[in-house]
Amino acid sequence: NTSKETSLKKANVLEYVSWKDGWMYCSNEKLESVATKLERYYNVNVQFKDQKIKEMTISGKLDLKSKCEDVFDVISFIAPIDFELKDGEILVFQK
């Protein structure tokens, strides 16, 4: 950088390191982003029946020590979605 200035910003590192303790923190995060992280963590494939669902946002703390279905149960409690688990794939649809 040509200005040679440095700046500091406060960051909530919990969102980035909480997975090592078995938690995932979401702060106004798109459902598509949350699903991508859960796909990697649980080694499942998440499909959305409707594109609008991907844009929904959620906030909260998800317990990754639970089974994948339990995590999606929690998400369906806080967002107007439902899901179906079949052959290692999760289909997410609007209620």
Side-chain angles (χ1 to χ4, degrees), residues 17-18 49 81 88 93:
V17 299
S18 61
K49 193 169 183 179
I81 62 131
F93 50 92

Side-chain angles (χ1 to χ4, degrees), residues 25-85:
Y25 287 87
C26 307
S27 179
N28 208 25
E29 191 168 351
K30 287 186 180 182
L31 203 51
E32 180 178 31
S33 174
V34 173
T36 299
K37 292 174 185 176
L38 293 174
E39 281 179 324
R40 291 184 198 134
Y41 191 85
Y42 288 107
N43 195 28
V44 295
N45 186 23
V46 177
Q47 296 292 321
F48 292 91
K49 193 169 183 179
D50 187 347
Q51 292 296 104
K52 291 187 301 185
I53 301 169
K54 292 180 176 183
E55 298 300 314
M56 290 181 185
T57 59
I58 63 170
S59 295
K61 180 170 80 169
L62 299 171
D63 183 0
L64 298 177
K65 297 179 292 286
S66 301
K67 295 186 300 184
C68 183
E69 305 91 81
D70 295 339
V71 172
F72 275 90
D73 274 336
V74 170
I75 294 171
S76 68
F77 183 74
I78 60 175
I81 62 131
D82 212 343
F83 71 96
E84 181 180 298
L85 176 64

Side-chain angles (χ1 to χ4, degrees), residues 6-13:
T6 305
S7 64
L8 295 174
K9 294 181 182 179
K10 287 190 176 206
N12 184 2
V13 295

